[in-house]
Amino acid sequence: MTRGRVYLKPKKGEWIESTQLLYDMGFEFPYGNGLKLVSGFLRKQLESKKKLDIWLKSLFQVWDKDGYIVGKDDQVSFLLGFDNVPQIDGVGDDYSYIMNCSSDRDKIYVVGKEFIIEKNEMIVLSFSRVVMRIRRQTGKTNLLFNEDEVTICTEALDFYSRIFIGQYDNIVSRLSLSLNDSTLLFDKRYVCEHILLAIRGIIMRDTDLDRYGFSASLGIWSDHTDIRAINSYDIQQVMRYNLAYAKHPEGGYTVDFKKPLINGNLPVIKCSCENAKEAFVETVTCTSSHLQILDDALMIFYHLHSVNIRELFEYYTDDELALELAGLVEKLLSGIKPDRQFVEEIKKIRKKVICAGGVFSEEK
């Protein structure tokens, strides 16, 4: 088991230190939280102390060698605030992450040596030695996806936006589709749906969705719909449209062939498809804002297919009652075994997106 330490400085305020024992925390490991830390840093979800606490607590999970999460009762985490810049002298952890998410450059001390850390930059230490610097990517980025990866991305974007508009029935229906034996959900589905309706009533109390059934929604272009859902739908439309016409230039009659209707506040992503060695490859050109939406969608999709229902909802709300109910749904579905191969595919795609969001430089 490796040990890691995290130091963060949000947009405003003091440095915050968090310490946690982790299994395989390093960025290059297949399990652990290195990727989550990098992703969270690049997405800069540190607007408030409350959000920061929720984010940190969601990061610290211990994984066993098979990729399963160890029970939370066996984990220890704590947060400490301090005023001075971090003194890293003698840190014995395998990895330390120094994350400057403020608007100004700052400095840290590693074994007595001063290091300047620019705004929106992360320094990764291993045994008190600086091994990597990561800074937020600017401008546009090209991502290459094969056909299966495009399918997973569009499904993730679709699910991500549907939860925003209240279509919680997708949680149960998508899990049903992923099961070899759908009877596993049959006796629990009714109870889960009613709990999910209660969660929707709490999160969307300011809408009139309570008057309608489980499959009702705000609508993707409603005035009440979160802009992230609309942006997600825009990206999804463009990706599926380009792949559909690359495979069938003559056109077709399904929704994939309908010209995208853009209603978000982000510029339209650019996509191009080509047939390389009898396999379709799609190049997606997007900004860091698009990458954030795609990363979030893949993260939510990962939690769904890992049956981490509470963590799925922690992205959408911080209401404790709603999260307790989401935890109850998770317990009801605990007998469902995740499709580990599919979960791994989601993780691989998300790693590609995360790496596209930052510039990594190795320290000699």
Side-chain angles (χ1 to χ4, degrees):
M1 178 175 287
T2 60
R3 188 164 184 251
R5 185 184 301 267
V6 186
Y7 301 85
L8 308 102
K9 189 171 187 181
K11 290 181 179 178
K12 296 180 180 179
E14 61 192 20
W15 284 92
I16 296 175
E17 175 188 13
S18 180
T19 306
Q20 172 70 32
L21 285 175
L22 297 172
Y23 181 91
D24 287 351
M25 182 178 177
F27 175 77
E28 70 275 20
F29 288 104
Y31 304 117
N33 296 321
L35 275 180
K36 285 188 178 182
L37 289 165
V38 174
S39 174
F41 166 74
L42 294 174
R43 290 189 287 121
K44 292 174 64 181
Q45 290 186 328
L46 305 174
E47 292 90 353
S48 68
K49 180 66 168 62
K50 187 174 183 181
K51 283 188 178 181
L52 177 61
D53 287 350
I54 294 171
W55 179 66
L56 286 172
K57 289 173 184 176
S58 72
L59 285 179
F60 297 128
Q61 295 181 334
V62 182
W63 303 72
D64 65 21
K65 62 183 177 60
D66 297 317
Y68 291 94
I69 297 173
V70 176
K72 292 188 177 181
D73 291 341
D74 298 326
Q75 300 175 40
V76 181
S77 69
F78 57 92
L79 299 174
L80 298 172
F82 58 93
D83 296 324
N84 298 324
V85 294
Q87 303 287 328
I88 316 297
D89 298 43
V91 171
D93 300 338
D94 289 18
Y95 286 89
S96 296
Y97 297 83
I98 318 299
M99 306 163 66
N100 183 12
C101 298
S102 71
S103 57
D104 301 309
R105 59 164 35 190
D106 211 332
K107 58 185 176 182
I108 61 171
Y109 296 92
V110 181
V111 195
K113 184 177 179 181
E114 181 179 295
F115 283 81
I116 300 298
I117 178 168
E118 302 291 344
K119 60 183 180 180
N120 300 325
E121 184 179 31
M122 177 195 294
I123 293 179
V124 182
L125 308 179
S126 178
F127 292 105
S128 302
R129 183 178 68 86
V130 177
V131 294
M132 183 180 291
R133 287 177 179 264
I134 304 164
R135 62 184 182 276
R136 189 174 175 84
Q137 179 69 278
T138 57
K140 294 184 177 180
T141 303
N142 288 332
L143 283 167
L144 267 65
F145 296 119
N146 62 36
E147 185 175 344
D148 290 340
E149 290 173 332
V150 171
T151 299
I152 290 175
C153 285
T154 53
E155 288 181 359
L157 290 162
D158 180 73
F159 179 76
Y160 173 76
S161 60
R162 286 181 186 275
I163 299 303
F164 267 121
I165 64 177
Q167 288 187 338
Y168 294 178
D169 57 316
N170 268 250
I171 294 172
V172 180
S173 61
R174 285 183 180 272
L175 285 176
S176 298
L177 290 172
S178 67
L179 294 173
N180 292 326
D181 183 4
S182 60
T183 59
L184 291 173
L185 258 179
F186 185 78
D187 59 334
K188 300 176 180 179
R189 184 167 188 145
Y190 180 80
V191 177
C192 287
E193 288 181 355
H194 277 73
I195 298 174
L196 289 168
L197 266 175
I199 296 173
R200 191 177 74 179
I202 295 170
I203 296 177
M204 301 187 175
R205 60 173 66 91
D206 296 329
T207 70
D208 62 352
L209 275 184
D210 280 346
R211 299 166 51 192
Y212 303 98
F214 192 45
S215 60
S217 75
L218 297 174
I220 192 62
W221 295 321
S222 164
D223 291 339
H224 295 286
T225 298
D226 193 292
I227 189 62
R228 290 170 291 182
I230 301 173
N231 288 330
S232 176
Y233 186 60
D234 287 352
I235 300 170
Q236 175 196 348
Q237 290 181 88
V238 176
M239 289 182 69
R240 73 185 185 191
Y241 177 85
N242 281 272
L243 180 61
Y245 270 97
K247 294 175 65 177
H248 301 283
E250 71 280 5
Y253 298 99
T254 65
V255 67
D256 296 7
F257 295 93
K258 291 184 178 179
K259 187 175 181 180
L261 299 174
I262 307 301
N263 284 275
N265 63 359
L266 296 179
V268 182
I269 62 168
K270 295 186 181 300
C271 288
S272 60
C273 285
E274 60 179 343
N275 193 339
K277 297 181 180 179
E278 299 183 355
F280 286 94
V281 177
E282 182 167 281
T283 301
V284 181
T285 304
C286 52
T287 67
S288 58
S289 296
H290 295 109
L291 289 174
Q292 176 176 333
I293 295 292
L294 187 51
D295 178 28
D296 289 344
L298 288 165
M299 176 184 67
I300 298 301
F301 209 48
Y302 167 81
H303 286 315
L304 169 70
H305 287 279
S306 300
V307 201
N308 300 331
I309 308 302
R310 182 185 172 100
E311 285 195 64
L312 186 159
F313 275 105
E314 280 178 348
Y315 181 85
Y316 294 94
T317 184
D318 58 3
D319 187 283
E320 277 302 321
L321 178 56
L323 294 177
E324 285 181 19
L325 291 171
L328 183 56
V329 174
E330 186 172 317
K331 287 182 180 179
L332 286 168
L333 301 178
S334 60
I336 296 176
K337 299 299 182 184
D339 182 341
R340 302 310 304 178
Q341 183 176 352
F342 188 65
V343 169
E344 285 302 311
E345 286 301 313
I346 299 172
K347 286 173 67 175
K348 287 178 184 177
I349 299 170
R350 185 164 177 245
K351 182 174 181 178
K352 182 185 293 189
V353 173
I354 290 170
C355 290
V359 179
F360 298 80
S361 61
E362 300 285 345
E363 293 289 322
K364 303 300 182 183

